[in-house]
Amino acid sequence: MLDDKAKSFRVGLIGCGRISDIYLKTLAEFHEIDVVACASLDLDESRAKATQYDIPKACLPDEIFSDPEIDCVLNLTVPSAHAQVSLHALDAGKHVYSEKPFVTDLADGQKILDLAACKGLLVGNAPDTFLGGRWQTVRSLLDDGVIGKPTGVFAHVGTHGTERHHPNPDFYYARGGGPLLDLGPYYLTAMVFCLGPIVRVAGLSRRTFDRRKIENGPRNGEWMPVEVDTHSLSLLEFESGAIGDMTMSFDVWDSETPRFEIYGEDGTICIPDPDPVHGANIFQGEVLYRTKQTARWTHQPRPSGRQDWQVATNRHGFNEDSRGLGLLDLARAVKEGRAPRASGMLAHHVFEVMNAIERAPREGAYQRVVSRCERPLPLPENFKRALKETSHAS
Ligand SMILES: NC(=O)c1ccc[n+]([C@@H]2O[C@H](COP(=O)([O-])OP(=O)(O)OC[C@H]3O[C@@H](n4cnc5c(N)ncnc54)[C@H](O)[C@@H]3O)[C@@H](O)[C@H]2O)c1
């Protein structure tokens, strides 16, 4: 049970755009966080969001920073503004939880961690999808030794970008955007959660189109410049000795490949179609596995159908889009005096990995990754029940 102090963890939202809806919906389910104010660059947009979600105050960002009643800033701005907003929030004495990517410049990431440490504040960061039922199930299979010692990982997502579904997709093609920084955090964070930190990478990338056309919403038909590479391949080496390969692309019209697989000495875990863009939200979905006892390599001729895979039981809940779960965990972390699971340290490590992958085609050879982070602890199986009990009690 949470005490009254933790129940009233007061959050000020900055960035009232598209992703804010799912956060506000998730947070509204659990009473231990109160979103007490919302702000963006556009006061009309903030007022509309405040009305829609019953938020007491709509204002400009400066009022969030200067409000002594606010404990934490929820930073849902565009990537190029993440560091500036997070630093401002910490400077004002507030915890901060931000959307991904953590930053767009590695030095800013270190500045955020240093400032938070100096002020005794917590930093949390999306993605928090690894706290969802699907990845928690993967982690329990690994921790139970079902596939033995992990040896490798493979992740592939091929999409044709965001211009067909996002009304203002410019930031996906500006500095701080691109498939690696946009989608990479989901996959790399899940990898670090499952396999631990990454020590070295290699990469290749290309930009297939120099400009792209918005194909939905009020700006339909408008062209945008593309400032970043939009097809990225990488090789990854983990501190544990496991190795991996990853493809993140905005240049692929279609693919049968989308999947995430983890290989172990005694089996394989397969997470089919983990694509966060086209609806298969990666908080949820099937986790399949085969072991040396059930592998198709034991059969001649080999059966290859999906029905031959075993489906893992999901024990954790959060089997729907639950963005905001990382912030709920941060609110508890403040009370319990521990680090949040979706931590700034984890996000900084993942950003350094992506930064190194981006550097590799220019600088050649393998790029070392110097930051390290602990594998986040799994979410307790009763976490959702405990949150619900708090909500009912208040
Ligand atoms: N849209 C999605 O499907 C999606 C999914 C997952 C993650 N994200 C991430 O969420 C973040 C926001 O994405 P979105 O789609 O909601 O963007 P959006 O363009 O719809 O909204 C961005 C919001 O940030 C505000 N903003 C921009 N710069 C600001 C600044 N300097 N100070 C204060 N406010 C500022 C804007 O006024 C707007 O309210 C991005 O980092 C994105 O990568 C988006």
Side-chain angles (χ1 to χ4, degrees):
M1 267 307 160
L2 292 181
D3 61 18
D4 285 345
K5 186 166 174 280
K7 270 185 217 163
S8 60
F9 189 77
R10 284 146 305 186
V11 168
L13 164 65
I14 302 185
C16 297
R18 201 151 187 243
I19 201 62
S20 59
D21 290 298
I22 184 61
Y23 276 85
L24 293 168
K25 188 166 161 280
T26 306
L27 298 177
E29 267 187 60
F30 305 106
H31 290 179
E32 65 187 83
I33 284 184
D34 282 333
V35 181
V36 294
C38 66
S40 75
L41 296 179
D42 175 353
L43 201 47
D44 289 339
E45 181 191 52
S46 314
R47 287 193 181 118
K49 201 76 26 169
T51 307
Q52 189 181 352
Y53 292 96
D54 240 352
I55 300 169
K57 183 162 116 181
C59 54
L60 289 170
D62 276 348
E63 284 182 67
I64 303 261
F65 299 126
S66 62
D67 185 339
E69 295 298 308
I70 288 177
D71 301 306
C72 179
V73 167
L74 173 57
N75 177 4
L76 305 184
T77 60
V78 294
S80 60
H82 285 173
Q84 168 219 326
V85 169
S86 294
L87 286 166
H88 203 149
L90 291 167
D91 217 24
K94 302 184 189 315
H95 306 288
V96 64
Y97 185 92
S98 172
E99 247 306 331
K100 51 83 197 163
F102 184 41
V103 286
T104 55
D105 183 299
L106 192 57
D108 283 340
Q110 194 58 53
K111 263 191 232 164
I112 290 171
L113 296 183
D114 291 347
L115 184 58
C118 165
K119 295 228 170 199
L121 294 164
L122 295 189
V123 176
N125 213 86
D128 51 3
T129 37
F130 75 92
L131 298 175
R134 195 176 217 195
W135 291 107
Q136 295 291 317
T137 303
V138 173
R139 175 66 180 264
S140 50
L141 288 176
L142 290 169
D143 290 353
D144 292 349
V146 171
I147 64 159
K149 186 177 184 317
T151 55
V153 62
F154 166 87
H156 178 287
V157 58
T159 77
H160 219 275
T162 55
E163 56 268 42
R164 290 188 163 192
H165 64 83
H166 199 295
N168 295 303
D170 317 59
F171 72 81
Y172 289 100
Y173 300 104
R175 192 169 165 272
L180 180 62
L181 289 196
D182 181 50
L183 302 174
Y186 295 103
Y187 296 85
L188 290 164
T189 304
M191 286 182 198
V192 175
F193 174 58
C194 292
L195 305 176
I198 292 165
V199 292
R200 138 179 122 122
V201 303
L204 280 177
S205 64
R206 57 170 281 137
R207 190 176 317 176
T208 304
F209 310 99
D210 285 332
R211 58 181 201 148
R212 300 176 72 129
K213 189 156 69 174
I214 301 176
E215 292 183 48
N216 78 104
R219 296 172 62 203
N220 198 353
E222 205 180 297
W223 287 92
M224 305 170 286
V226 178
E227 296 169 1
V228 290
D229 284 355
T230 43
H231 187 79
S232 156
L233 313 182
S234 50
L235 294 178
L236 313 161
E237 183 181 356
F238 293 78
E239 195 169 48
S240 68
I243 54 176
D245 57 326
M246 182 175 89
T247 298
M248 298 284 124
S249 184
F250 283 168
D251 293 349
V252 172
W253 280 114
D254 234 317
S255 168
E256 289 293 318
T257 311
R259 62 187 54 239
F260 187 116
E261 292 178 340
I262 300 176
Y263 311 116
E265 286 179 353
D266 300 327
T268 296
I269 297 173
C270 175
I271 300 107
D273 193 14
D275 171 2
V277 174
H278 294 117
N281 196 291
I282 60 175
F283 280 88
Q284 67 204 40
E286 270 183 334
V287 175
L288 309 173
Y289 66 99
R290 284 173 109 154
T291 63
K292 63 182 175 191
Q293 284 77 24
T294 58
R296 62 181 174 137
W297 302 109
T298 58
H299 304 275
Q300 288 293 344
R302 301 190 314 262
S304 59
R306 181 123 155 220
Q307 67 278 6
D308 297 315
W309 289 80
Q310 287 159 269
V311 181
T313 308
N314 182 328
R315 298 190 295 249
H316 294 81
F318 298 109
N319 296 316
E320 59 287 313
D321 191 347
S322 307
R323 283 171 215 263
L325 183 51
L327 175 59
L328 287 160
D329 179 60
L330 182 143
R332 290 224 156 184
V334 168
K335 177 174 171 273
E336 293 166 5
R338 60 168 170 86
R341 287 177 170 80
S343 70
M345 203 89 87
L346 171 61
H348 181 61
H349 177 65
V350 164
F351 184 79
E352 194 198 343
V353 170
M354 297 188 298
N355 191 256
I357 293 169
E358 277 188 336
R359 261 195 338 262
R362 288 196 311 275
E363 297 183 7
Y366 290 95
Q367 300 287 318
R368 293 234 153 254
V369 176
V370 296
S371 65
R372 292 289 180 275
C373 64
E374 299 289 322
R375 276 199 318 163
L377 288 174
L379 205 60
E381 275 183 41
N382 66 358
F383 192 77
K384 191 168 198 172
R385 193 169 59 243
L387 288 176
K388 287 277 180 203
E389 280 170 7
T390 306
S391 301
H392 289 139
S394 57

